[in-house]
Amino acid sequence: MDTAVTAKKKWWSGGHSPFNVSYGKLMMWYFLMSDAFTFGALLISYGTIRFMSTSWPDPNEVFHSFPGMGHTHLPLVFVSLMTFILIMSSVTMVLAVHAGHMRDRKAVAKWLSWTILGGIAFLSCQAWEWTHLHEAGAWWGRNPFLNVDGTIASTNFTNFFFTITGFHGLHVTSGVVLNIVILANVLKGTYEERGHYEMVEKVGLYWHFVDLVWVFVFTCFYLL
Amino acid sequence: MEHTHTAVAHEEHGHDSSTKTIWKTFWILLAITVFEVGLAFLYLEYDFMARWALNGIFVTLTMVKAFFIVAEFMHLRHEIRNLIMTILMPLALFIWFIIAFLADGDSWKHMRKDLAPGTHVAPATHVTNEPAHH
């Protein structure tokens, strides 16, 4: 397929993709767009409920723990670490895609492994945070945290927190699984045989999307 | 498969300039996140600005981060216009989505406040929704 982009090229006259990408990549983009609406709907319903509440728990009071630091008050520190891990794994994913363009099989395998490691590290952090909150008495339908104004809070806060971060964690989990499958194929030489590493790009798109969603979850739950 | 060579064509970017952009994007994302967390800490300690202004900054910076992830990491900025449009145009629905639903939540709060038991309400002139007895 011709990738030379010229202004005169008639994209819609047939014979080639009007989007200049393969079918699989285009469908990945459309899937991610629909997934964006799913996450959008969840986050906007959270926003709606928060707007209708007269008061809401203070995230800095709820999320203030760090593994091994006991009761030290450390708001935002742990979630910043989680954010850093996910951004970092996004970087290693782009580097894997880049190595794929170079047809450098070893480098693809290396960067994919780092990405998988980053994903697992993120999930471990989330598991720790969930366990910690659960021990503090928080779960779906249970909210031990008070509102900012000192009144008893409804369970909306914990319900939305566990549902949305859980749904995101599920996405990270399937991303890690996909990355492992791709890594196995890289090691087997499947893409070398095929002559290109486009599958790494498609899974890469998904992985970046998961990072993108986290950026919004981070803002909505921890900063605002 | 006639489309299989798209990936290979990107090689023209060259090794160095491409990895440089990747790391530059990483540093931008990291710097924005550190700045956000720093602002949040400053706010906790010194309460130096209005909450709505701080939230405005957070939302704006989130959009900036989203732009860099989609444009650079997902490579959308380097795709052709047709692809960019087919992905971004539907997302414009979010503008309505967010405004409508947050406004709805806000109005809900005011209704609950204004109509809460014990709140003084001006007597209604006529009642139209009397329960029907059958």
Side-chain angles (χ1 to χ4, degrees):
Chain A
M1 192 174 68
D2 185 9
T3 48
V5 181
T6 53
K8 282 180 204 129
K9 191 169 164 87
K10 286 195 176 75
W11 288 109
W12 300 99
S13 59
H16 48 73
S17 162
F19 300 109
N20 201 30
V21 289
S22 69
Y23 175 80
K25 232 170 131 177
L26 184 65
M27 290 306 125
M28 180 51 93
W29 270 110
Y30 284 142
F31 163 69
L32 294 180
M33 186 175 72
S34 71
D35 220 16
F37 278 107
T38 311
F39 272 108
L42 281 169
L43 284 171
I44 290 166
S45 57
Y46 159 77
T48 307
I49 295 297
R50 213 175 147 170
F51 265 65
M52 76 75 137
S53 306
T54 41
S55 193
W56 195 257
D58 181 359
N60 294 311
E61 288 302 318
V62 177
F63 311 109
H64 66 257
S65 303
F66 198 90
M69 299 299 279
H71 293 287
T72 328
H73 188 73
L74 294 166
L76 278 173
V77 178
F78 190 59
V79 74
S80 303
L81 175 71
M82 287 168 74
T83 307
F84 173 75
I85 291 171
L86 213 54
I87 293 178
M88 203 60 225
S89 80
S90 235
V91 173
T92 56
M93 190 77 221
V94 208
L95 291 170
V97 171
H98 184 72
H101 292 157
M102 299 294 155
R103 297 284 300 274
D104 186 346
R105 190 175 134 192
K106 264 190 169 166
V108 177
K110 178 182 80 178
W111 292 120
L112 265 182
S113 309
W114 279 112
T115 310
I116 293 166
L117 216 66
I120 291 172
F122 178 85
L123 286 171
S124 313
C125 289
Q126 202 170 37
W128 183 86
E129 193 182 39
W130 274 42
T131 311
H132 183 82
L133 287 170
H134 185 257
E135 275 167 9
W139 202 240
W140 276 278
R142 275 194 279 141
N143 182 10
F145 307 110
L146 293 178
N147 282 329
V148 176
D149 63 5
T151 52
I152 303 271
S154 74
T155 56
N156 286 333
F157 173 74
T158 41
N159 288 345
F160 273 112
F161 176 80
F162 286 114
T163 303
I164 294 178
T165 60
F167 195 52
H168 176 263
L170 206 63
H171 276 73
V172 180
T173 310
S174 45
V176 169
V177 172
L178 285 174
N179 279 337
I180 291 173
V181 172
I182 295 297
L183 177 63
N185 283 339
V186 169
L187 295 175
K188 247 172 49 188
T190 308
Y191 305 128
E192 207 60 51
E193 228 167 84
R194 201 177 284 177
H196 61 87
Y197 283 81
E198 208 198 57
M199 200 48 99
V200 181
E201 281 186 62
K202 288 177 209 161
V203 176
L205 281 176
Y206 178 77
W207 191 258
H208 299 311
F209 175 76
V210 168
D211 183 24
L212 177 71
V213 170
W214 182 254
V215 164
F216 285 95
V217 171
F218 174 64
T219 303
C220 292
F221 278 100
Y222 298 90
L223 290 178
L224 294 181
Chain B
M1 284 286 286
E2 50 163 333
H3 299 307
T4 49
H5 295 294
T6 32
V8 183
H10 292 302
E11 275 181 43
E12 291 150 23
H13 289 303
H15 186 271
D16 273 327
S17 70
S18 199
T19 37
K20 238 181 225 167
T21 333
I22 295 169
W23 285 107
K24 205 179 104 191
T25 312
F26 165 73
W27 286 115
I28 292 169
L29 291 174
L30 189 66
I32 293 174
T33 308
V34 168
F35 179 71
E36 282 178 329
V37 173
L39 263 187
F41 270 114
L42 281 178
Y43 181 80
L44 278 179
E45 289 296 318
Y46 305 107
D47 199 1
F48 67 106
M49 66 194 296
R51 189 69 225 191
W52 66 265
L54 187 70
N55 286 348
I57 293 173
F58 285 152
V59 171
T60 312
L61 289 177
T62 302
M63 297 314 288
V64 174
K65 283 204 281 188
F67 169 81
F68 277 104
I69 292 174
V70 176
E72 294 298 343
F73 285 175
M74 298 174 90
H75 214 253
L76 192 60
R77 200 162 74 92
H78 307 285
E79 305 289 355
I80 67 165
R81 209 181 143 76
N82 287 345
L83 181 63
I84 298 175
M85 285 305 162
T86 193
I87 298 303
L88 293 189
M89 295 286 264
L91 294 180
L93 274 171
F94 269 119
I95 300 169
W96 159 79
F97 201 1
I98 292 167
I99 294 173
F101 276 76
L102 295 190
D104 202 40
D106 196 50
S107 120
W108 187 0
K109 176 170 77 186
H110 287 297
M111 285 200 308
R112 293 199 318 161
K113 258 199 218 157
D114 300 341
L115 301 176
T119 314
H120 175 74
V121 189
T125 42
H126 53 260
V127 179
T128 49
N129 57 345
E130 240 172 325
H133 301 286
H134 290 293

